[in-house]
Amino acid sequence: LVNDDHLSRSFSSLFVVSEFIPIEQIATDTSCLCFGCNEQITELARYQCGKCMNSYCSECDSLIHNSLQVCPGCSVSLGS
């Protein structure tokens, strides 16, 4: 038998999150918030999902691709 936790991990690994698009931003542009942590993106690059078009900071980009394996913006748009 297979437990539900093992099954969900195996299933989620079948769908890999596509790489986000790096977008350079002007140093004076402080209007962009990260959709993941809701903090202001202060780096010179932000990362945008090609499907939901939400922007993420580099830390959230790493977390999404290395651990979560699910884009939060795409998950929210699927739920509505």
Side-chain angles (χ1 to χ4, degrees), residues 27-64:
T28 57
D29 182 17
T30 58
S31 61
C32 191
L33 292 177
C34 173
F35 189 80
C37 63
N38 205 32
E39 295 288 327
Q40 218 169 32
I41 299 176
T42 57
E43 297 120 2
L44 293 178
R46 59 186 168 95
Y47 300 89
Q48 190 174 49
C49 176
K51 293 180 183 175
C52 67
M53 304 307 282
N54 286 311
S55 295
Y56 297 92
C57 65
S58 60
E59 289 181 35
C60 288
D61 175 54
S62 295
L63 177 69
I64 290 167

Side-chain angles (χ1 to χ4, degrees), residues 5 9 12 16 22 36 39 41 45 51 65-66 70-71 74 77 79-80:
D5 187 44
R9 286 186 198 172
S12 67
V16 178
E39 295 288 327
I41 299 176
K51 293 180 183 175
H65 287 95
N66 297 332
V70 175
C71 172
C74 291
S77 63
S80 55

